[in-house]
Amino acid sequence: MKNKLIILLIGFSLMAYSQKKNTKKTIKIKPRNEFVTDLLSRMTLDEKIGQLNLPTSGDITTGQANSSNVAKNIEEGKVGGLFNIKSAAKIKEVQKVAVEKSRLKIPLLFGMDVIHGYETTFPIPLGLSCTWNLKLIERSAQIAAQEASADGINWTFSPMVDISRDPRWGRVSEGSGEDPYLGSQIAKAMVNGYQQHDLSKNNSILSCVKHFALYGAPEAGRDYNTVDMSRIRMYNEYFPPYKAAVDAGVGTAMASFNEIDGIPATGNKWLMTDVLRKQWGFKGFVVTDYTGIPEMIDHGMGDLQTVSALALNAGIEMDMVGEGFLRTLKKSLEEKKVTMDQIDNAVRLILEAKYDLGLFEDPYKYCDVNRAKSEIFTKESRAEARSTASESLVLLKNDNQLLPLKKTGTIAVIGPLADAEENMSGTWSVATKKGTSITLLRGIKEVAGKASTILYAKGSNLTDDETLENNATMFGKTLHRDSRTKEELVAEALKIANQSDIIIAALGESAEFSGESSSRTNIEIPQTQKDLLNALLQTGKPVVLVLFDGRPLVITNENKTVPAILNVWFAGTEAGYAIADVLFGDVNPSGKLTATFPRNIGQVPIYYNQKNTGRPLMNKEGKFEKFRSNYIDERNEPLFPFGYGMSYTSFNYSDLKISSDKMIQNQILKVSVDVTNTGNYDGKEVVQLYIRDLVGSVTRPVKELKGFQKIEIKKGEKRTVTFEITVDDLKFYNSELEYVFEPGNFEVFIGKDSNTENKVSFELIK
Ligand code: BGC
């Protein structure tokens, strides 16, 4: 409510500032360097500092603070961009203020968290990554850019590429899982999708890689918490996706909230200047995260003036919501705590981004209301979102081929997520329009068609835990609590369950249980839903668990008792259709996990590319061995490993071959395997290649993903899949942080998930 009021106030005051009719002009301007140098030479110090200021429109709040005086500041040239304001018409009004009322008429950037689609919403990024389909992922970003740019947005705060190995952290939902190689490929695909190698197009937008850096490794999985990590681990395991985004030409980067080596990322010169700019050659600008500068006061780095100077000195160009630059940089310049060169350089990078977007030629380039009417939430984009979503679903279990279902008989659809429209799109779907997402119930009804009878009951609330409910529903969210008692809800569910041939139980997390500031210490299905599930199982009817989640959950018990489990994440506006497509076999599932599912929360952080240690387990059966690296009360293995996911068909791997058992530098080795579809359905398989470096100057992981191919194989068909390995695939950062390969023996594994033992070996010779 409070937010709504702020939007209205800002909206009205901004409109009042712009009375004149906009006359669209596209002018030809000087080359970038000349243009920006000239503009800079005409700017006052206040105007320069103004360009470094990024307030929020107040539409969407993700922190405790909000920006004030936005309209007035824009007119006075004290704003470089605005974010999280929605609609081409509204944005046009605001742009008019900058372009017609401010002295130098510098257009604004308009940013937004377009994280997994715009109004056409794709699966949450963790789900999207489970497609292992880079073309689809790139396309999803392109569609997001198409829609956002049609609605006035020219800058997205995406991709989020933070590697995470701890599902307690609520933001695992926003990333691509635990693997640096896959994460890097996805980072590149997303940047290319948004920017399309050409920012001058009217349907490409500036991308922002975040959160630089290591935000996915907070201690205890608690959001915003301390990160403490060796540099060798940063470089080998956590940095690669950020670097991949930089290599792909990402235009901007966002600093993370956490500290690194004891210095918050926002004030960390080593990170922002030495690594990002000097080592990686980043040419764009860096924006802080929401109030990242003033938060350094709480980190214990000094007062607002000190931390603002620290940020500028570190290599930060734009201040999101914090107003530290706006309020203190002038004083710091007078006191020689920062230099004019530093300010000029920061302004230059921001102006260059505006130039690249073509905003100086046409500030209203993205404000074509006709495009907004015809290019958003189109039939075509929704069809693509539906098929992408169906590839993101991961079939975890399917005893006796319970799935796919027949489109006949009576089907009971039960659970608090069965008819939960607002939950389909998941976290960070700020542009999704209320009421447009397809629920599971609706999807099942439409896809199953007339020959079947579909019954529905809610069965339980999402949770009966008041604390969880209260904390997950801040800022006006609701879990749509049903006021009936638990017993009444279960009784209604059992009634329809008993009338049906099969039960689909739609359970798991609400969208609000994951995402920013939604860390959990208990990552199981909430107890009240578990009780419902047990009651359903006791009917003796077959039960399919459709599991909604924004993170890997601990479902060890459910895996014992439920015959079929389809993990569906939050699959976007077309979720209900996509899930039904898979349940009824119109689409054969092909998603594979990109984050390990623990069997016990005590195992986290858990990930496949671990080190062997000096005392690895000797047996693979999970049998306890004393004085080995293990637990006395739990096995080491996860419930489902990285790369895991079933299909309705089966794939057989055979004839793994390597072109030579020796590799000389500059030589390419070929590794191939035959994959045969031995089941009854056509299907897609993600063929995964892992490498183990057996001896190194530093300890090396037991396996590292170094290649994958998603291929389609018709039933009965055999395909040979070939990978090439070069020394680049064998490189790593050594203890001097040099990127090297070392001669010696390597193992190459190819298989359907990270557990594969199917291997060949070779020796790298100097
Ligand atoms: C989040 C960012 C986001 C920003 C702007 C912050 O709270 O950490 O990921 O881009 O808000 O909405």
Side-chain angles (χ1 to χ4, degrees), residues 515-573:
E516 184 169 357
S517 187
S518 290
S519 295
R520 293 179 68 194
T521 59
N522 174 349
I523 55 170
E524 298 187 20
I525 297 172
Q527 191 56 45
T528 191
Q529 296 187 54
K530 283 189 178 179
D531 295 343
L532 169 67
L533 182 63
N534 287 334
L536 297 177
L537 287 165
Q538 273 163 25
T539 62
K541 306 268 177 169
V543 176
V544 176
L545 172 58
V546 172
L547 187 62
F548 289 82
D549 42 23
R551 51 160 61 82
L553 295 179
V554 171
I555 50 163
T556 310
N557 283 331
E558 291 73 20
N559 188 47
K560 282 186 198 135
T561 55
V562 185
I565 306 175
L566 182 67
N567 195 82
V568 300
W569 313 112
F570 295 103
T573 39

Side-chain angles (χ1 to χ4, degrees), residues 566-624:
L566 182 67
N567 195 82
V568 300
W569 313 112
F570 295 103
T573 39
E574 313 310 310
Y577 289 143
I579 301 167
D581 287 342
V582 168
L583 289 175
F584 292 105
D586 294 347
V587 174
N588 190 352
S590 63
K592 302 261 191 175
L593 296 179
T594 57
T596 301
F597 270 50
R599 61 175 70 238
N600 180 324
I601 186 121
Q603 293 177 309
V604 304
I606 184 167
Y607 47 96
Y608 83 94
N609 46 353
Q610 57 185 314
K611 300 292 183 69
N612 203 37
T613 81
R615 293 191 173 192
L617 277 186
M618 303 297 281
N619 73 78
K620 297 274 172 202
E621 286 76 48
K623 206 173 137 254
F624 179 77

Side-chain angles (χ1 to χ4, degrees), residues 26-145:
T26 306
I27 42 164
K28 195 84 209 111
I29 56 174
K30 292 181 204 154
R32 188 172 84 173
N33 198 22
E34 224 178 296
F35 180 91
V36 171
T37 306
D38 171 60
L39 183 53
L40 254 175
S41 72
R42 290 184 286 120
M43 292 172 83
T44 63
L45 177 59
D46 285 329
E47 284 167 337
K48 287 178 181 173
I49 294 173
Q51 283 302 305
L52 316 184
N53 181 31
L54 178 69
T56 171
S57 72
D59 265 23
I60 299 133
T61 303
T62 55
Q64 300 289 344
N66 247 312
S67 307
S68 51
N69 292 329
V70 178
K72 190 167 157 284
N73 281 345
I74 294 174
E75 190 183 350
E76 290 174 1
K78 288 185 184 159
V79 175
L82 195 65
F83 74 101
N84 285 349
I85 173 168
K86 187 168 185 285
S87 104
K90 240 181 180 186
I91 289 176
K92 192 169 182 176
E93 291 303 322
V94 181
Q95 189 70 300
K96 264 193 201 178
V97 179
V99 173
E100 296 182 12
K101 296 276 176 180
S102 75
R103 190 181 76 89
L104 287 171
K105 310 188 183 330
I106 301 175
L108 300 173
L109 289 171
F110 287 95
M112 189 186 257
D113 290 285
V114 182
I115 307 296
H116 50 112
Y118 191 67
E119 283 189 23
T120 304
T121 312
F122 288 79
I124 54 167
L126 183 59
L128 208 51
S129 69
C130 292
T131 65
W132 295 61
N133 189 331
L134 297 173
K135 277 204 188 100
L136 284 188
I137 293 172
E138 179 168 340
R139 183 75 189 127
S140 77
Q142 203 179 337
I143 291 173

Side-chain angles (χ1 to χ4, degrees), residues 62 83-84 113 157 171 210-211 254 257 289-290 320 428 516:
T62 55
F83 74 101
N84 285 349
D113 290 285
F157 303 136
R171 301 193 82 169
K210 70 186 188 187
H211 306 83
M254 187 185 291
F257 288 123
D289 202 346
Y290 204 106
M320 185 192 285
W428 280 125
E516 184 169 357

Side-chain angles (χ1 to χ4, degrees), residues 568-762:
V568 300
W569 313 112
F570 295 103
T573 39
E574 313 310 310
Y577 289 143
I579 301 167
D581 287 342
V582 168
L583 289 175
F584 292 105
D586 294 347
V587 174
N588 190 352
S590 63
K592 302 261 191 175
L593 296 179
T594 57
T596 301
F597 270 50
R599 61 175 70 238
N600 180 324
I601 186 121
Q603 293 177 309
V604 304
I606 184 167
Y607 47 96
Y608 83 94
N609 46 353
Q610 57 185 314
K611 300 292 183 69
N612 203 37
T613 81
R615 293 191 173 192
L617 277 186
M618 303 297 281
N619 73 78
K620 297 274 172 202
E621 286 76 48
K623 206 173 137 254
F624 179 77
E625 290 168 275
K626 196 70 185 164
F627 304 118
R628 292 271 152 194
S629 178
N630 53 16
Y631 306 97
I632 56 172
D633 62 350
E634 184 56 274
R635 321 167 39 160
N636 283 12
E637 306 85 67
L639 189 62
F640 300 113
F642 175 85
Y644 173 82
M646 297 174 75
S647 164
Y648 293 152
T649 193
S650 46
F651 297 105
N652 181 50
Y653 284 65
S654 62
D655 209 13
L656 177 60
K657 279 196 289 243
I658 187 157
S659 55
S660 167
D661 60 2
K662 301 260 183 302
M663 182 197 231
I664 306 166
Q665 209 184 316
N666 299 329
Q667 202 184 350
I668 296 172
L669 285 190
K670 288 197 172 159
V671 189
S672 67
V673 71
D674 289 344
V675 186
T676 312
N677 182 338
T678 50
N680 293 321
Y681 300 84
D682 297 344
K684 291 181 183 166
E685 170 71 333
V686 181
V687 182
Q688 301 161 40
L689 178 143
Y690 297 86
I691 294 184
R692 178 169 186 182
D693 183 353
L694 286 164
V695 180
S697 60
V698 293
T699 60
R700 307 284 295 121
V702 293
K703 257 176 204 160
E704 290 177 290
L705 183 73
K706 289 292 175 184
F708 62 89
Q709 291 180 37
K710 186 161 190 176
I711 52 164
E712 208 161 345
I713 315 181
K714 300 247 176 284
K715 76 174 173 192
E717 196 193 347
K718 175 167 92 179
R719 286 190 54 183
T720 303
V721 181
T722 306
F723 293 90
E724 291 188 344
I725 301 175
T726 71
V727 282
D728 282 341
D729 300 309
L730 312 178
K731 284 184 174 168
F732 60 96
Y733 290 90
N734 65 16
S735 57
E736 303 300 318
L737 300 182
E738 297 153 340
Y739 196 48
V740 297
F741 57 85
E742 292 174 349
N745 292 319
F746 294 83
E747 289 175 340
V748 185
F749 302 78
I750 299 189
K752 55 181 74 177
D753 60 44
S754 60
N755 270 354
T756 179
E757 293 297 337
N758 201 18
K759 68 178 179 197
V760 285
S761 313
F762 71 91

